[in-house]
Amino acid sequence: QVQLVESGGGLVQPGGFLRLSCAASGSIFRFNAMGWYRQAPGKQRELVAVITSGGSTNYADSVKGRFTISSHNAKNTVYLQMNSLKPEDTAVYYCNADRAGTAYWGKGTLVTVSS
C-alpha cells in the first residue's frame, strides 16, 4: 500500500518561502511521476508542479520561476521549494504519485500566505 505524507506547511508572510516535503512509503522509483497539487477555498484542485521518474519537470504558469520541485530518491522524498510567496498561493497542498495509471494522494498540508 502506498502512503504519501506531506509536511512543511505553515503561515508565512508575502515574499517569504517554505519548503514542502512528501515522504513516500517504498521506493519512488516505482512511480511514473510525482507532483504537487493545491486547492484553495472554493476552488478546484490544480496542478502546481510535477517531476517524472526521468527527472523532467513541469510547472503551472502561476508558479514558474518561484517554485522548484525536486526529488531525493534515496530518501523516497519529493520536495517543493516555494519562494516569493503570494497571498494567492494560500491553499492546501497535496502530494500526488502516479504508478501504472493509478493515482495516490497524501492528506495535504496547509500553506497560508498572509501578513
Side-chain angles (χ1 to χ4, degrees):
Q1 184 177 357
V2 175
Q3 288 189 324
L4 304 174
V5 179
E6 304 98 334
S7 62
L11 173 64
V12 62
Q13 292 186 342
F17 62 91
L18 284 174
R19 188 175 81 156
L20 305 183
S21 299
C22 172
S25 59
S27 172
I28 64 175
F29 275 121
R30 298 179 182 178
F31 300 122
N32 299 326
M34 295 188 72
W36 289 93
Y37 288 70
R38 67 185 180 186
Q39 187 167 18
K43 295 187 177 181
Q44 290 187 334
R45 191 172 297 188
E46 63 176 359
L47 174 68
V48 176
V50 63
I51 185 167
T52 70
S53 58
S56 298
T57 58
N58 195 28
Y59 297 91
D61 288 342
S62 59
V63 307
K64 282 181 180 177
R66 300 189 298 122
F67 291 10
T68 302
I69 189 170
S70 61
S71 63
H72 193 304
N73 295 333
K75 294 184 178 180
N76 298 328
T77 301
V78 173
Y79 304 98
L80 185 69
Q81 178 67 42
M82 306 187 295
N83 298 328
S84 301
L85 283 162
K86 304 175 181 180
E88 51 263 43
D89 294 318
T90 295
V92 177
Y93 285 70
Y94 297 91
C95 181
N96 167 271
D98 176 82
R99 185 172 71 189
T102 299
Y104 301 90
W105 295 92
K107 293 183 178 181
T109 184
L110 176 63
V111 172
T112 303
V113 184
S114 175
S115 55

